[in-house]
Each structure stands twice: as structure tokens, then as C-alpha cells.
Amino acid sequence: MSLAEPASLPDLRLELAPPDVEAPLAVAVLLADRNRATILAILREGPHCVCELAAALDERSNNVSNHLARLRDAGLVRAARPAADTRRVYYERDEAACTAALAQLNNLLEPIR
Amino acid sequence: MSLAEPASLPDLRLELAPPDVEAPLAVAVLLADRNRATILAILREGPHCVCELAAALDERSNNVSNHLARLRDAGLVRAARPAADTRRVYYERDEAACTAALAQLNNLLEPIR
DNA sequence: GAGATATATCAGCTGCGACTGACACACTCT
DNA sequence: AGAGTGTGTCAGTCGCAGCTGATATATCTC
């Protein structure tokens, strides 16, 4: 294995430059909240409006609205008002953006080669 | 698209059961810290000891040690003491565990089909 | 041996993000 | 028109995760 013991230990390498992790970090921060993660999971099945999500999460709708705004700003979900009742706002996942987000996490977690 | 407007809007569905997101959430929480994300990125290249990581991150070693303990508890990294200097602790990624963690995030982000 | 080095643990502090509550606005229904 | 519904914004509060500083242990170097 890669931790096999050499006869002599290499010198300390204190000059390592930290790699840029901004993009995967931003995705992880978005997913690292139970309500946002659950919202993304629920929306896999199809679009839902804010009050449906709030009921499923047992959270106030303004709180859910805030989380949806975060996800929308990141591009992971889209909003649309149905013509039949323009009070409601239905949210659906942007699958392309979700796939792109997953690719960022891939960069962090997959082996180097 | 899936948000095409039907003639009539479906009734509100307020009985939705929230799906279980514990596993992907735990992974996301681990990755949602800049230091931990950077540690995982640095360790892609190979094993490093705590003080090397602390230097690269410009953080105190006790802080880095704490983050490494979190990653180790989650199984994402392993620790080993080299016989040549047992003061140091070299950490390396557990690639199988990282791949498994990525699969959890996959469950959350990939399209339903 | 003395002093320096490397890691880890722990109590305490602090900043940030999630939640609350109040409010605003637009629309639907009767 | 008036009441009710659905969503969004914002200031304020609060809990918690990350950082600090002190301390402990063990090892290496001289």
C-alpha cells in the first residue's frame, strides 16, 4: 500500500499549496442542510409548490421559501407560476445543474486517476 | 417540459413523506468546511502528516488534527505512524470510502432515471 | 538529561447560518 | 368588496460548529 514504510522518512513538506476547492465547497454547503437536501430529494419525483414542500418538511413556508431561493440562486432549481393559479410557485430541479454540481463533488472525491 | 401548463392545476399534496437523506447529508456536512475539503483535495496526491497539512492550510495543527479526526471517524481517511518517526501521523485517503461517499451524493443529485 | 518536535484532547469563546415572527404583496374565491 | 391563500422579504434571536489557548503525552535530537 501507499503507506509502506520506507527506510528513511521523507523530509517535511511545508510548502504545499492548498488546491482551490471553492466550487465543490459551494455545492457541499448547499447540500449540508437537512431541509435543502430533503427539498432536492423530493423534487426528484417532480415539481412541487412551496406550501407542499413546507408541509412535507414540517417547516414554515417562509423558511422553505428562503431555502428555495438559495437553491435557485445556485441554479439547482427553477421556479414557475402556473397560469391556473399564479399565487403558487412550482419549483423543479434543473437536472443539468444538478449533474454539474455532482461533477464538482466528483472532482473532490474521486481518485486521482 | 415538465412544467407545461395543464388546463387545471392539481390539488395541493400536503401528505408528502420526506425521503431519508441522512447518509448524503452526513457526507455533505463533512465536505462543507473549507479546511476539510482542502484536506481531502491535498490527500488525493498522496499521504501527508498533520503538520504538513497544517502548514498548507495555514491553520494550527490541533485544529487540523480535529478535522482529520472527523474525517477518520467517517472512514474517509486512515492514519498510520511511520516507524522512522512515530511522532508523526500520516493520513491517507480511503479511496473506497470516498467513492462510497460520492455514491451517496449521487443518490441525491443524479436524475431519478 | 534537557529541549524541541509532533499530535491529540478539552473547555471556552465567537461568528455565522437557520429559524422565527411580523409584515407586504399579489392573487383567488364567494 | 372582503376574507382567505400562497409566496417572499427582512430584522432579530439563538444554537452550534469551528477556532483558540492551554495542557498532556510521546518521541526525537543534541
Side-chain angles (χ1 to χ4, degrees):
Chain A
M1 69 158 68
S2 51
L3 274 188
E5 315 281 358
S8 65
L9 202 54
D11 286 340
L12 285 177
R13 295 175 53 196
L14 301 177
E15 79 301 344
L16 285 175
D20 176 45
V21 295
E22 292 307 310
L25 179 60
V27 175
V29 167
L30 273 179
L31 301 186
D33 175 88
R34 172 175 282 103
N35 284 332
R36 284 194 297 269
T38 307
I39 287 171
L40 282 176
I42 293 176
L43 293 185
R44 289 184 74 194
E45 309 151 9
H48 287 285
C49 62
V50 178
C51 61
E52 287 174 338
L53 294 169
L57 296 170
D58 194 25
E59 290 284 345
R60 299 213 188 333
S61 59
N62 60 351
N63 191 19
V64 173
S65 182
N66 258 319
H67 285 303
L68 284 166
R70 300 264 312 262
L71 295 171
R72 185 167 30 117
D73 289 347
L76 294 183
V77 302
R78 278 187 299 259
R81 291 186 182 267
D85 184 347
T86 62
R87 286 176 304 181
R88 301 191 205 169
V89 177
Y90 277 74
Y91 282 89
E92 68 172 353
R93 286 170 43 136
D94 184 326
E95 295 298 348
C98 287
T99 300
L102 186 58
Q104 290 296 337
L105 297 170
N106 220 22
N107 288 337
L108 202 58
L109 285 176
E110 81 178 349
I112 203 98
R113 192 179 351 267
Chain B
M1 73 157 67
S2 51
L3 275 187
E5 315 283 358
S8 66
L9 201 53
D11 286 340
L12 285 177
R13 294 175 53 195
L14 301 177
E15 80 300 343
L16 284 177
D20 176 45
V21 294
E22 293 307 310
L25 179 60
V27 174
V29 166
L30 273 178
L31 301 186
D33 175 88
R34 172 175 282 103
N35 285 331
R36 284 194 297 269
T38 308
I39 286 171
L40 282 176
I42 293 176
L43 293 185
R44 288 184 73 193
E45 308 151 9
H48 287 285
C49 64
V50 178
C51 61
E52 287 174 338
L53 295 169
L57 296 169
D58 194 26
E59 291 283 344
R60 298 209 181 0
S61 59
N62 61 351
N63 191 19
V64 174
S65 181
N66 257 320
H67 285 303
L68 284 165
R70 300 262 314 260
L71 294 171
R72 182 163 34 90
D73 289 346
L76 293 183
V77 303
R78 279 187 298 260
R81 290 185 182 270
D85 185 347
T86 62
R87 287 176 304 180
R88 300 192 206 169
V89 176
Y90 277 75
Y91 283 88
E92 69 172 352
R93 286 172 41 139
D94 184 326
E95 295 297 350
C98 287
T99 300
L102 185 59
Q104 290 296 337
L105 297 170
N106 221 14
N107 288 337
L108 202 57
L109 285 177
E110 80 178 350
I112 202 99
R113 195 179 344 270

